[in-house]
């Protein structure tokens, strides 16, 4: 499942299985991590909250979310400001070590 999703993601779309299993520049616990290990595939129930406006996570615990299927509503002060669908990326605020500007 993870390989199938990684072939939908723009950066890893053209990578072979050998490239996906190769060590990348990111190290954890003193060792290089495989490209595949940077990705997790999760299915979320309807109305699940990925992150809240104002929430601040450390860059090491934040995620960038990639929508494979379905829809994600992005809200500001409780109002929907965008509806994201397949292929959308969201959550990059958390990697910049700043609070999320929206909820999703």
């Amino acid at each position: 499942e993870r390989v199938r999703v990684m072939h939908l993601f723009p950066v890893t779309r053209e990578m072979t299985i050998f490239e996906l299993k190769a060590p990348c520049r990111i190290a954890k616990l003193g060792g290089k991590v495989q490209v595949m290990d940077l990705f997790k595939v999760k299915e979320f129930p309807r109305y699940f909250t990925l992150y809240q406006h104002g929430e601040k996570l450390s860059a090491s615990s934040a995620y960038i979310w990639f929508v494979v299927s379905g829809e994600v509503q992005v809200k500001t002060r409780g109002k929907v400001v965008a509806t994201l669908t397949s292929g959308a990326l969201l959550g990059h605020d958390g990697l910049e070590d700043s609070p999320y500007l929206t909820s999703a």
Side-chain angles (χ1 to χ4, degrees):
E1 176 72 3
R2 188 170 9 163
V3 172
R4 182 187 70 77
V5 170
M6 292 177 73
H7 283 132
L8 298 173
F9 189 66
V11 176
T12 55
R13 181 175 290 144
E14 302 298 323
M15 294 177 101
T16 66
I17 189 69
F18 299 108
E19 292 170 316
L20 294 172
K21 289 185 174 184
C24 66
R25 294 179 290 187
I26 297 172
K28 284 186 179 178
L29 303 173
K32 297 285 183 172
V33 176
Q34 290 181 345
V35 174
M36 283 183 65
D37 291 338
L38 297 175
F39 292 79
K40 293 181 183 178
V41 177
K42 293 184 179 182
E43 189 171 316
F44 296 98
R46 192 175 197 173
Y47 304 115
F48 184 84
T49 300
L50 299 172
Y51 55 83
Q52 294 274 352
H53 174 264
E55 181 179 14
K56 184 175 179 183
L57 301 172
S58 67
S60 63
S61 62
Y63 290 96
I64 290 181
W65 304 90
F66 176 66
V67 181
V68 175
S69 64
E71 294 182 345
V72 176
Q73 290 184 336
V74 179
K75 298 180 180 182
T76 300
R77 296 187 177 127
K79 297 196 183 240
V80 176
V81 294
T83 299
L84 306 177
T85 58
S86 300
L89 292 170
L90 66 152
H92 51 282
D93 306 6
L95 295 178
E96 296 169 2
D97 223 11
S98 59
Y100 288 105
L101 301 174
T102 58
S103 296

